[in-house]
Amino acid sequence: MIANPRRMLALTSILLCCFGASASSLPRFALRGGEVDCRGCHVDPTGGRMRTQGGDNFAMNRLPMWERGPKFSANIGDAIRIGVDMRSQYLYFGDHTTADFVIPGHDSVLARHILRDTTVKASGALEMALPIYVSAKLSESIEAFVKVNPIVSPLVSTTWEGYGIIHFVHSSGEFFDAGAIVGDAYFKVGAFYPAFGIRFDDHTVYTRGGNASFSGFGPAGLFWQPNYVDEGIELGAELFDHAFITADFLNGNEAGASLFKNDPLGPYAIALRGVINTGPMMDHTVSAEIGGSLYAHTIQHFPPQPPPGVGDSTARTWLTAIHGGIHVGPVSVLAEFDMGNFIYHVLPPNYPISNPVGQYSDTVHAMAIETAVDITKGLTGILRFDNYYGGNVGGISTNIKTRLMVGAQWFPVRFLEFRPEFRVARGTAPSPADPTKLEDHTETTALIQTHIFF
């Protein structure tokens, strides 16, 4: 059980961060529609955040089990639009730890692999996120967007987001008319979520932000934490109605960088992403897509004279991903595999750092496979498997974690979602008391999440 108030406070802040799904789209919706991007339902062509009138129509007519209700629009006049994503949940969490090292004062054979009592048990109801969106349509192809989240957590990058987007190739022909080769092209500038991989709607997936630690397990996952944003520019284009490419030049927020820097020429980051989609086939019952992503950062992670065994003082962050999906009838499968070096982690409060690179994993592999099966209209069963490996130079710290999730998404009426989930995670991580020693962990989580949106 949790023994002291400081640990309870830390646990509470981690709960707020680790199990709250960010306000995102569901990537399988675009896959099932044979769409290569998300601009049919979202202001941002890469998906998530603010919905368009098309997104409202989808939520009213395609999603819910029961379609009752009057007409609805989130528009205020002709140019202003508002939106909300409110998420709350009740969860239970338990962690069992097996020590894989000699306990002082005990026989070494008997002391190894001792199954402790549950080290952490936690349960409670949480208000996780309440992002409020406002968009202003300045013309047919120019739009401004702002997001503010009044719920603040110490583990998120920021609670705001804002950018302007210009579709210089657009169906309106305001600048250049859309055609068979270029169906849409845009330029986005401001603070936004970079385009990379599959934007699973659950940010605790290891290929996204993963999770921090309740009980000293250590962080597992990439640095795409909830409410992560970076400042910069993005250029995107839809080509031949089947391909979508984006290129981002960013300030580099991977390690919590500030908008203002002592060195105006660095560090910076780039993100590249490309996807090819077959489009709807066989009367919209089959579609597939394949894509790849790259993220590279110029930051110098280590001091000029690193400690012995730490590594090259000019090490850079890079991350690559292969991702795709297939939709056949009521079944959709999405998968992503990531590989990278020197990946930054957001550590839990008071987590011991015994070396200057404790917040980085020198080698990272992350994988997620999600299968969704439509049981009936408005009710979908979800099965997800994800795996994470992160290791430091010289074996200072190794974190391996595998998780299985079984759950469902139920949209009984428009703009309302219930999401029950059960998760079991197993893995190996350094002991908080001695990072050179390993412990085996088994974590179980049960939760019910409520999502109100428009």
Side-chain angles (χ1 to χ4, degrees):
M1 298 295 290
I2 301 171
N4 61 69
R6 288 186 65 191
R7 191 170 185 184
M8 177 62 80
L9 179 62
L11 174 63
T12 301
S13 63
I14 294 167
L15 280 165
L16 289 171
C17 175
C18 294
F19 290 96
S22 60
S24 299
S25 60
L26 292 173
R28 72 173 184 270
F29 292 161
L31 172 66
R32 291 183 176 186
E35 302 294 337
V36 75
D37 59 30
C38 301
R39 59 191 175 93
C41 290
H42 293 271
V43 171
D44 189 341
T46 62
R49 279 54 170 181
M50 189 80 186
R51 298 167 186 84
T52 62
Q53 186 64 53
D56 283 348
N57 293 336
F58 186 87
M60 287 188 290
N61 302 316
R62 299 278 299 278
L63 272 185
M65 184 174 289
W66 298 290
E67 299 177 19
R68 298 180 180 89
K71 292 183 179 180
F72 172 84
S73 175
N75 294 329
I76 301 177
D78 296 329
I80 306 296
R81 184 173 177 81
I82 61 173
V84 158
D85 275 292
M86 186 185 77
R87 295 181 185 268
S88 60
Q89 70 182 16
Y90 181 88
L91 68 83
Y92 168 85
F93 173 86
D95 176 277
H96 293 267
T97 305
T98 304
D100 194 22
F101 57 91
V102 176
I103 299 176
H106 292 73
D107 179 84
S108 61
V109 175
L110 297 178
R112 289 181 181 275
H113 302 288
I114 294 178
L115 180 63
R116 303 176 185 171
D117 292 335
T118 299
T119 55
V120 170
K121 289 181 179 178
S123 63
L126 303 171
E127 293 295 332
M128 303 178 307
L130 182 58
I132 300 170
Y133 314 128
V134 179
S135 69
K137 203 170 184 62
L138 308 181
S139 71
E140 286 296 317
S141 59
I142 303 176
E143 197 159 1
F145 165 78
V146 174
K147 181 200 85 171
V148 177
N149 188 355
I151 296 181
V152 179
S153 166
L155 298 183
V156 301
S157 300
T158 183
T159 58
W160 63 275
E161 181 176 350
Y163 56 81
I165 184 168
I166 301 174
H167 293 265
F168 55 89
V169 177
H170 191 260
S171 58
S172 67
E174 185 172 353
F175 295 96
F176 299 98
D177 201 4
I181 297 178
V182 182
D184 183 81
Y186 68 89
F187 180 80
K188 182 166 64 178
V189 59
F192 52 86
Y193 194 105
F196 186 93
I198 296 175
R199 196 169 294 180
F200 289 100
D201 63 316
D202 181 353
H203 74 77
T204 68
V205 174
Y206 298 147
T207 57
R208 289 201 60 199
N211 65 279
S213 171
F214 288 103
S215 55
F217 194 114
L222 304 181
F223 48 79
W224 311 113
Q225 294 291 332
N227 295 323
Y228 181 102
V229 298
D230 207 343
E231 298 85 10
I233 60 175
E234 179 176 289
L235 180 66
E238 178 192 295
L239 305 175
F240 303 101
D241 201 32
H242 292 288
F244 181 50
I245 57 174
T246 58
D248 296 8
F249 182 74
L250 306 164
N251 188 60
N253 196 32
E254 164 265 350
S258 169
L259 176 63
F260 301 103
K261 303 179 179 181
N262 295 328
D263 177 8
L265 300 180
Y268 290 97
I270 61 169
L272 306 175
R273 183 178 184 270
V275 176
I276 298 176
N277 191 297
T278 62
M281 302 185 297
M282 301 176 63
D283 196 23
H284 287 80
T285 59
V286 177
S287 59
E289 70 176 36
I290 185 71
S293 297
L294 168 70
Y295 178 90
H297 202 297
T298 62
I299 194 171
Q300 183 172 317
H301 289 306
F302 303 141
Q305 294 181 339
V310 168
D312 187 353
S313 64
T314 59
R316 314 294 185 187
T317 288
W318 64 266
L319 184 65
T320 59
I322 299 174
H323 42 85
I326 184 168
H327 156 60
V328 179
V331 180
S332 298
V333 180
L334 291 166
E336 179 176 342
F337 178 73
D338 297 351
M339 297 177 57
N341 279 351
F342 300 96
I343 303 302
Y344 179 79
H345 297 293
V346 176
L347 293 179
N350 303 320
Y351 190 82
I353 302 176
S354 59
N355 60 81
V357 294
Q359 291 178 280
Y360 293 86
S361 289
D362 304 332
T363 302
V364 163
H365 299 158
M367 177 180 68
I369 302 175
E370 180 179 279
T371 300
V373 180
D374 288 341
I375 300 170
T376 186
K377 185 180 180 184
L379 180 62
T380 301
I382 307 291
L383 177 67
R384 184 170 64 237
F385 172 84
D386 50 343
N387 177 266
Y388 175 83
Y389 166 83
N392 285 100
V393 169
I396 296 174
S397 173
T398 301
N399 189 8
I400 304 170
K401 197 168 186 179
T402 299
R403 179 173 56 187
L404 182 67
M405 186 278 286
V406 179
Q409 291 175 302
W410 180 36
F411 298 88
V413 295
R414 60 186 186 174
F415 308 128
L416 177 63
E417 174 192 5
F418 294 105
R419 184 178 300 195
E421 292 185 2
F422 179 76
R423 308 174 183 178
V424 177
R426 302 192 66 183
T428 301
S431 167
D434 183 354
T436 65
K437 307 299 183 181
L438 296 178
E439 293 181 339
D440 295 330
H441 289 251
T442 300
E443 298 175 341
T444 57
T445 306
L447 63 90
I448 298 178
Q449 185 177 124
T450 302
H451 180 204
I452 298 173
F453 61 96
F454 64 84

